[in-house]
Structures are given as C-alpha cells and as structure tokens.
Amino acid sequence: MKRELQEIWVYLAANPLLWLTVTLVAYQAGLWLYRRLGCRPVANPVLLAIILIGALLFATGGSYDDYFAGAQFVHFLLGPATVALAIPLYRQFHRVRRAALPLALAILAGSLSAALSAMGLAWLLGASWQSVISLAPKSVTTPVAMGIAEKLGGLPSLTAVLVILTGIIGASLGPWVLRLARVRDPRARGLGLGVAAHGIGTAQAFQAGEVTGAFSSLAMGLNALATAILLPLLFRWAGW
Amino acid sequence: MLAALTLLLLCQLAGEVIAQLSGLPLPGPVIGMVLLFIGLVIRGEVPAALDRAARGLLDHLSLLFVPAGVGVVLHLTRVGDEWLPLSAALVLSTLLAIVVTGWVMQRLGRPAADEPKP
C-alpha cells in the first residue's frame, strides 16, 4: 500500500496537473486566511500561498524546477495581464491629462528614489552585487520587474520575491508614513502607494477611496514604464 | 472572450517583436500595453468583451505572482546571509519612495475645482 502510494506520488509529481492544482489551492487557502485575519496587509494572500507551497516542497523534497514546470501556466498569464493594464490606464486618462506635468515629475522622482535608495542602502550594508541589481526594480509590478532584472543581469526569481515583499511593506506602512509626512491630497497619496508598492499598494489605496485607487493604479503603470526605460539607460551610462 | 484573449496575446507578441528588433530596453508586455493603450485611444472606448477578459485577468492578478514568489526557496541561503541589507533596503527605500512621490505631487499639483480638496 505504502509502495503504491509512493508510485502514485512519483507519477503525479512529474505531472503539471499536481503543481498547477497546488498553486490554485494554496492561493485560495491564502485568501481564506487573509479574510479570516481581517484583511491585514501583513497577512497577504500571496505571501501565505508562497509559504504554504514552499513548506510543501520542503516536506516532499520536491525541486523548484518540478514545481515551476506545472505552475508556469499561471506564471505565463502575467504577460497578457500586463498588456491588460492599458485598460484602467485608458479609463483614467482624462484625470491624468489635467495634472500631467506634476504627475510626471512626481513619478519620475519616486521611480528614481525607489531604485537608487534601495541599491545604495543594500550596497553600503554589504549585500552582494547580484542582490543589489535584483533590488533595483523592486517597486515595479512583478512581470515588468522580472524582465528588467533579467536585462540588467540580476536574478529574476529573487527580484520577484523582493517585489512581493516591497508591496506588502508599502501597503502596510504606506498610509502611516503619508500621514507622518502630512501628504493629504488623495491623488498624491495614491501616486505614492502605486509608485512604491505596485499592485499590492494599489489594492490598499482603493480601500481609501476611488480617487486614491485610480491614481495608484495609474502610478503603478507609469512607474513600470519609467523604470523600464530609466534603469537600463542608467546602468549603461554608469557602466555597471 | 476568445477574441479578446487573442488581442491581448497579439499585443504582447507584437511587443516582444518590437523589443527584439529595436533593442529598446523594455520588456515585451510593457510595449504591448502601450500598443493596446494607443489602440483604445484611437477607438475611443473599451470593447465589452475585452473589458470582461481583462477584468478576469486583473481581478486575480495577485494569484499570478505566486509561482515566481515560490522561487524564494531557491534563494533561502542568500536571503539568510544578507537579511540585514535586504530588509533595510526594502523597508527604508519603500517608505522614502512613497513620501517623495506624494510630497512632489502635493507640492506641484493643485487639485482642479471639481476634485476633492486635500
């Protein structure tokens, strides 16, 4: 009996169906737990799902390669989802045009300060160069951040983890630090959350109101664009 | 649904081709996003089928981050060795970026008459 079970496991573990299903089930479990804990940003469903799947891989001795062979069908959808971000961007276009210049300057300032301060701090505190590069696009939405990290010579999979942690930090501490800095304009609050904490910050911003959320999703899209253009140029110019 | 998904994939594919041919330092999906945005501006509305398909994807956007996030198991030793620089960089730089962005926008952008005053 035990032998048969083991044979079934060996067969399933080599099959995309198992890890694809595990991914969906773990995410639903993460969502359930997140709601159970009162929707606190710290109990982020993505983080919970990652911990659950990581623990399962450890317990069964499975490799990330085996896991990813199944889960890549979910991962693949990040591409079309990024393209689909054009739709909320288009819907907010009238608001954007009205405040185009201050908005562009704010996003530029935020994009550069996010990337440069993260790289500088990590470098000063003794992180390896590869980690420093992988940190650079940490405020950008995952699919784009992974693309940027790959182009710069970082580790896309490390970047993905850092991006998700950044989103959780920004969403949970962002409202507090904005109050401390006396930023009260809902558009400005939304831009801050979207630039620094991408989709996870945007989910938090929508809880504060419609305008905050709209500007946050806009900031997420424009920051992705700004960082994807600026960072490779900066790296080429600095000769890194 | 099928037509909308095809359109999204076509935009992404065109984005990848443009990125390869031009050598632009941009990921293909981002160029695809710009292409779709231009298309929407030209058309002047979001087709209902495209809206439904996009909503299906964007409503569960965070699920799509899970496979890449599980990659942390590959980097557990690195994260363990470099936990101080990594966590200091993540926390401080994220808070700095939020404040800098919000502050610049509040300073430079006066709200329009019909928008809520801060």
Side-chain angles (χ1 to χ4, degrees):
Chain A
M1 184 64 190
K2 195 175 171 221
R3 207 188 140 86
E4 271 172 32
L5 270 180
Q6 200 156 15
E7 273 168 18
I8 293 175
W9 176 259
V10 167
Y11 166 74
L12 281 178
N15 193 315
L17 173 69
L18 175 71
W19 294 116
L20 190 57
T21 314
V22 163
T23 304
L24 293 172
V25 170
Y27 181 70
Q28 308 255 9
L31 265 183
W32 178 82
L33 223 79
Y34 170 68
R35 293 192 183 123
R36 259 349 233 333
L37 295 171
C39 296
R40 267 174 247 275
V42 189
N44 187 273
V46 179
L47 189 67
L48 294 171
I50 290 169
I51 294 171
L52 283 174
I53 299 169
L56 184 67
L57 283 178
F58 259 105
T60 59
S63 75
Y64 181 67
D65 285 346
D66 287 344
Y67 166 74
F68 197 78
Q72 62 174 318
F73 300 106
V74 173
H75 178 78
F76 173 79
L77 290 176
L78 277 172
T82 305
V83 176
L85 285 173
I87 293 164
L89 212 62
Y90 169 75
R91 290 237 163 86
Q92 297 304 325
F93 194 44
H94 63 287
R95 269 181 211 283
V96 178
R97 260 206 307 223
R98 225 185 278 166
L101 186 65
L103 204 145
L105 290 175
I107 289 173
L108 208 64
S111 172
L112 285 175
S113 57
L116 294 178
S117 66
M119 292 177 70
L121 265 167
W123 182 71
L124 281 176
L125 292 172
S128 68
W129 185 238
Q130 205 171 29
S131 298
V132 171
I133 299 178
S134 306
L135 264 169
K138 70 163 181 42
S139 279
V140 178
T141 183
T142 315
V144 181
M146 291 177 77
I148 298 174
E150 199 161 21
K151 276 206 194 300
L152 298 180
L155 291 169
S157 55
L158 178 61
T159 296
V161 174
L162 297 173
V163 167
I164 289 158
L165 290 173
T166 298
I168 294 166
I169 292 165
S172 43
L173 301 180
W176 166 77
V177 80
L178 283 168
R179 202 159 48 238
L180 212 69
R182 289 161 201 245
V183 177
R184 297 196 185 90
D185 182 338
R187 300 173 307 163
R189 293 175 70 92
L191 280 191
L193 286 168
V195 162
H198 55 91
I200 303 175
T202 300
Q204 183 70 25
F206 267 111
Q207 292 189 1
E210 176 77 27
V211 177
T212 315
F215 271 78
S216 185
S217 47
L218 175 80
M220 168 175 75
L222 289 180
N223 182 40
L225 211 58
T227 311
I229 297 170
L230 287 177
L231 270 187
L233 289 178
L234 182 73
F235 269 62
R236 198 177 298 170
W237 173 77
W240 287 335
Chain B
M1 176 69 192
L2 192 60
L5 199 58
T6 311
L7 178 64
L8 291 175
L9 289 177
L10 274 175
C11 286
Q12 187 184 349
L13 185 63
E16 299 284 3
V17 172
I18 292 173
Q20 287 298 320
L21 289 181
S22 67
L24 275 175
L26 277 173
V30 175
I31 300 178
M33 176 174 87
V34 174
L35 293 176
L36 181 60
F37 178 78
I38 294 170
L40 290 174
V41 170
I42 292 171
R43 195 180 154 120
E45 55 154 10
V46 182
L50 178 64
D51 192 37
R52 268 197 307 279
R55 195 159 302 183
L57 276 173
L58 295 180
D59 278 352
H60 302 291
L61 188 59
S62 39
L63 162 69
L64 311 186
F65 298 150
V66 171
V70 175
V72 75
V73 299
L74 293 176
H75 303 296
L76 280 180
T77 28
R78 179 186 296 261
V79 173
D81 289 346
E82 302 182 12
W83 69 270
L84 178 67
L86 287 180
S87 47
L90 286 180
V91 174
L92 295 177
S93 118
T94 303
L95 297 186
L96 178 78
I98 293 179
V99 170
V100 166
T101 312
W103 193 77
V104 171
M105 182 66 194
Q106 182 163 275
R107 265 305 166 98
L108 300 181
R110 284 166 195 281
D114 60 334
E115 272 174 307
K117 290 262 183 323

